[in-house]
Structures are given as structure tokens and as C-alpha cells.
Amino acid sequence: MSRNFALAAGQIAMALVFIGVMALAAYRSELNREQRIAEQIHVERVMVKQLVDLRQRLQHDLIVGAVGTSAAHDGVRIVGLNSPSAASSKPQPTGDDFAEISQALAGQGWDNSASADVTGSITDAPSPTSPPAAMPGQAPVMGVVSIKGQAYAAAAARGATPAVALQPLNLTFLDKLSRAAGVAPMRIADASATPPHAAHIDISRQLDATGVSAPHLVLQWQPKRPGDLVLIRDGLILMGATVLIALIMIGYLHSAMKKLRASEAQAQRLAGFDKLTDLPNRSQFGHLLALETGRSRRAQSSCALLYVDIDRFKEINDTCGQEAGDKLIQGTASRIASLLQPGDRLARIDGDEFAILQTEIVSARDCEVLATKIHNSLRQPIDLGNIEIRVRVSIGIAMFPADASSDDEMTQAASSALALAKKEGRDRFVFFEKMLGDDMKMRRTREEELRKAIETGNLVVHYQPIMSADGLRLSCVEALVRWPHPLGGLVPPDEFIALAEDRGLILPLGEYVLRQACRDGRRWPGVRVAVNVSPIQFRQKDFAKIVERVLTEENFDPTRLELELTEGVVIADADEAEAIMFDLRGQGIRLALDDFGMGYSSLVYLRRFAFDKIKIDKSFLESMESTGESAIILHSLIHLGRALGLTVTAEGIETPEQHRFLQAAGAHELQGFLFSRPVPREQIDRILAAQRTYDDPDAADQSRSVA
Ligand code: C2E
Ligand code: CA
Ligand code: CA
């Protein structure tokens, strides 16, 4: 639909461009015409001015005379002089006269030599119609200068012929003239051959005056064309503006269409029906369910609610396209519809989720039969155009009044049954069981309690020492969170971290532990503090920034902080993880790969990501006694870490034998109940104090003497 609008907008834009171009074209030719006329007038003025200037210089009369070539273009002839006196024969000018004229002409840039020659020729051929014998070259001649006034009178008195100077219109002169007038180079052309756009001035006027027939000659040049410039510049502006307007129109129409579609969908929703399948939607189905439970209650009959969810619909949608996804939904809907009894209702309550209200049931067996039929029917492939797909569905079933006493409870029960069907591996149906509901309720209470504990800071952080390989020196402590529960005692993290991750509580929890660890860590100069980071925490936006902020606010040295990450952190988005790790290390923070050896491809990650340390998982130690293999693996893991230049820490050391083994194998640091369990911070204070006493002989002497 919006494509049609784009097309229409495009067409309007094209029409606008067309009209604009036509108007511009008319404007252009008018501008060009005006320029041509202006240039013509200007050139004429320049020529006249040159002649006037010359006349003033010579103090003689000056006449622009006739010009022409012979009809055969084989020579130049003077065809007439429009001076009334020029036609009659007059006394010759003297050599002095000629020299004077010649000098003056040369000073004006007129062709001196030509004057001399022509003078001669006129002398020889006083008749205006006979060709001048001594005319140089083939170039037409422009100015014919005759003299009158004093010199003329003197010459006439001597009985001499008037002196005549000619300026051939050769290229040199034309170029000079063009430059003086500031126009494009001029050339001589036949008037009949002048192109319409060319500017020209007539140089044959004098010919007509003499009545001699000769080719109609013009001085011709290419005038400037301001109209063309306007066309290009304004045309571009016009097109740009039009395209912009078209784009704005398209954008506007697009958003208008979107709004229209949205309100259409809204109307559909209000009308209670799903557009794609024509089935009732969630809200409409809600009414139906309420009516039916009410009716069942009154009639003391039973009904059932089945939630049907297409397995991995998103994958199908992503790989085959939305159109195929739509077909799949429609196909599934009509398959299910064909299996229902009169009185049963089918609805589409979500993208890939259907609800069936099964009425008039006697026992759970009726639901089982329907669910089995649905599975079997959908095993027949559905044609999506290019491919056929066998649909798998998960079904959750709840019955009224056996499982629920209201329509609300019924939807909750069906939802949790569906969740269980999915959890148990999909492609199955699961009946709601009361236990399921109790479990959910307990989870919800726990979640609330945990939320409150985080908000009120009612969590404690214990610290477990990490020792040097000889087991004598505490080099690091690992922060491990505990939740003091009014009923459950000190709840270990394994029992609530997953819940926190699930319910979006891990972010405040993680920040709480980090802050507490930094605050406590300030008590122990020279000791590193390790903090566990959940993959969800790590993936949050600005994780590195948050850590930086906490460090600054708690005034804790970043080089003493160690973050323990698991493979989960880097598996999800390796590039993103790499960037965050780069940022953290830039702050001086050390990064440890926790539970090393447990994951899929630790080795790959170790090579790619910049860890400072690995913590070998305690499960290797646990199984070392039972299998010799674990000892070998432990050995090689330690060697691997050392070879990569990493600090190697072993976890879970409970016995002196394990300690000896790991020390011999080359682990740098050791952690385990053998040295200490996780303890409150005051206990770490005491351990460090004892260590100082042991380290410092004076203090040791003193303490011995005190003892
Ligand atoms: P983890 O990071 O592997 O932490 C070490 C766990 O091993 C701790 O359990 C510790 O008490 C236990 N442990 C230490 N030495 C020994 C030993 O010699 N033998 C045995 N059997 N166990 C030992 P804890 O404190 O119950 O913590 C469990 C897990 O909870 C931690 O495993 C960590 O993954 C997670 N966790 C703890 N605190 C936090 C936290 O603040 N944030 C996050 N995201 N996770 C945390
Ligand atoms: Ca850890
Ligand atoms: Ca660990």
C-alpha cells in the first residue's frame, strides 16, 4: 500500500520537475536573448568609440566606409565611401599627410601597413567599384578613413587625392576588438549563415548605402548565455527541492499509513477478532471463558482450557520469512478448528499461541483425546508455498472446576501447565497439577523477599581467603554473598542467584556485592578482592562504566579488584564481551575465568580473551580420588595456564594431600576449606593480623614474650 503512495508521490514530483523545467527553459531563452542584444549594442558602441577616438586624435573627419569581399571571395575591394566628398576625385594627400595619419592610426592599434597599401590602391583605382589591386590577403576591410578638415583642404588645394586608411578585419584586429568589448572572439560571417543564438553586428550597412550588391557580412560571436547557467543552477535547486518534498511526502504518507494500520488493528482488537485468522483474540476469548465458567458453575458441568503454543515458531519465522509464518499460523488454526466439537471455541491469544475452550467434557480423557488429535493432525505437513512444515506444539491443559474455581485461576493454571510442557522438552501436552501452582506461589514469595532484602541492604558478604601455593600467605579474598533469611537461616547463593537472574534482580544484587567488597577491601591493603560477575550483569549496557563509578565512589584501587567471569559471559556475544573486557582491563582491573575446565571450549576463549587468571573448577579435585584421569587433566590444565602466562588458582582444596599435589603441579594460588571457609570480614581482619605477626620477627618476638 505504501509503495503505491510512494509511486504517486514520485509521479507528482516528476510533474513538478517537468513544469519547473519548462518554465526555466522559457526564462533561459529570454535571458540569453537579452544578453545577446546587450552584447550587440555594446560591441557597436565600442567600435564607434574607437572610431570617434581616432577621429579626435587625427583631428580629421573619419568615416566608416564600405566593406566587402568580391562576389567570388577572391579579393577585397572597396565598394564605396559614404562620404559625400569621397565619391568625387580629390587631390592626393601628401606623404606628410599620410605619415601623420599612419602614425595616428598605429597609435590606436590600427593596422599601419594596410593603410599604406590601400592608400596606394585607392590612388590607382579611384572608382569605388574597381577592386583595390594592392589589398593584402583576403580579409574584409572595415574602417575606411578619409580626411577632411585642414589636411584635406591643404591636399585639395594641392590637387591631391584624399588619403584613405583601411583596417582589414583580420584575426588580430578582431581579437583586439573582442577583448576591448569583453565578448567572445568575433569572426566574419555571411549574415545568412549566422546561427540564431549567435550575436552579430552588421558591417554591410555602408554597402547598401552605396547601392552596390555584395555579400551581406556580419561580425559574429558567441554571446554569453546567462540563461543556461540559471537553468543548471536553478534546475538543480528545483530538482533537489522537489526530491526533498517528495521524500517528506513519502515519509508523511508512510507514517499516516502506519497510524491507519495501527488504528485498523486497534479497531480489530476492539472488535475482538484477530485479523490474520478471523478467530477471537485474547480479550474476546476472556469474555467467552468467563461466560462458560459461569455457565458450567450453574449447570454443574465441566469445561477445559487448552493453551496451544507452536514450538520454535520464531525460528520458522526468522528462517522462512514472515509471510510463511503467517501461513503457518493460518494453517495451524484451521487444522485445530477442524477437530473441535460444536460449542468448543478456538482463539488466537498471542503471536503463536492459541486457546481452546472445550465445553461439555466428562473427564480429563476428553482433553487428552483432543490434544492427541491436535498433535497427530499437525504432523501432516502444512504447505507454506516454498516448503512444507510439520508443526510441533506444546499444550497446557487446565480443567474447571477441578483445577480452578474462576476463569482467572483457569488461565493461570493453563499457563503454568504450558510452561511445564515447554520445560519438559516441548511437543507434548501437560495437565495442570496443584503442585505446580504451589511451586509458583512459593517462587513469587521468595522473589518478593529477595527484592526487599536487596532494597534494604539485608544481604551479607563473606570472604574466602585465596592463599599462595605454600598455603602461608593470604593474597586475595573472594567475595561470596549470603542472604540472611528469617526462616531459612543464612541462605547460600546457589539457592537465590538463579532466581535473581531470572527475575531481573541480579543487577542491583551484583552492584551491592561489588560496592560492599570494595568498602570492606579497603581494610586489607595489599590484598586483592575477587568479585563474581553474572553473565547477565556483564551483558548490561555500560557494565564497565558502572564498575568504574562504584570504584570511584568507594575510593578503591582498581588494580586490587579481580572480576570472576564464567564462559557464559563470552559465549553470547564474543565481540561485545571483548570490548567490555578491554575497557575493564584499561581501568587496571584483573579478570579471572572462573570454573575453568567445566565449559565447552575454554581453551578457545583463553586464547582469544585477555584473562589474567584461571580458576580451575573444584569438580576436578572432587573426582581426583576416584579417577586417575582427573589428576592428569588437572596437571595439564595447570601447565596450560602457566604456558599462557596466566595466574593459575585451584579451588576446592580440602585435604593436605590435595594441597601437596596442586603445589607440586605448579598452581600459583589455592582456595578451599583446608585454609578457610568463606568468613565474615572481621575474621579476615584476624587472619591478616596473625599473618603479620608471623611475618614480622619483632612482632613475633614481642608476641612470644607477651605469651
Ligand atoms: P564460585 O564462584 O565457584 O565460588 C566458590 C564456591 O565454592 C563458594 O560457594 C565456596 O564456598 C565454595 N568452596 C570454596 N572452597 C570449597 C571447598 O574446599 N570445598 C567445597 N565443597 N566448596 C568450596 P558459595 O559461596 O556457596 O557460592 C556458590 C556460587 O555462587 C559461587 O561459585 C558463585 O558462582 C555464586 N556466587 C556467590 N556470590 C556471588 C555474587 O556475589 N554474585 C554472583 N553473580 N554469583 C555469586
Ligand atoms: Ca567465583
Ligand atoms: Ca568457581
Side-chain angles (χ1 to χ4, degrees), residues 464 478-482 492-494 497 501 506 509-510 513 531-534 537 564 594-595 615 617-618 622 651-654 671-674 676 678:
Q464 185 175 31
E478 178 176 1
L480 296 158
V481 66
R482 275 98 182 84
D494 285 338
I497 291 287
E501 285 177 339
I506 193 69
L509 186 148
V513 175
V531 176
N532 292 284
V533 176
S534 144
Q537 238 179 312
E564 298 196 356
D594 205 354
D595 304 340
K615 294 187 78 175
D617 195 74
K618 54 182 172 285
E622 280 162 9
E651 291 184 310
I653 294 139
E654 295 179 351
Q671 177 181 5
F673 294 167
L674 175 66
S676 167

Side-chain angles (χ1 to χ4, degrees), residues 149 356 387:
I356 302 166
I387 49 161

Side-chain angles (χ1 to χ4, degrees), residues 176 297 431 497 691 706:
K176 224 176 271 173
R297 192 178 291 119
F431 277 93
I497 291 287
Q691 187 175 298
V706 168

Side-chain angles (χ1 to χ4, degrees), residues 459-465 476-484 489-493 496 512-513 516-517 520 524 529-532 671 676-684:
L459 293 172
V460 295
V461 181
H462 283 183
Y463 298 91
Q464 185 175 31
C476 182
V477 290
E478 178 176 1
L480 296 158
V481 66
R482 275 98 182 84
W483 176 19
L490 215 51
V491 184
F496 63 89
Y512 175 88
V513 175
Q516 194 60 46
D520 292 340
W524 312 310
V529 175
V531 176
N532 292 284
Q671 177 181 5
S676 167
R677 288 185 173 263
V679 291
R681 60 176 175 228
E682 291 75 15
Q683 186 64 31
I684 300 291

Side-chain angles (χ1 to χ4, degrees), residues 40 43 174 178 183-203 217-223:
Q40 281 169 189
V43 167
L174 285 180
S178 313
V183 297
M186 295 188 260
R187 294 296 172 256
I188 291 168
D190 200 313
S192 60
T194 308
H197 294 305
H200 55 89
I201 55 173
D202 207 326
I203 51 173
L217 294 180
V218 292
L219 275 187
Q220 178 207 303
W221 70 94
Q222 204 57 47

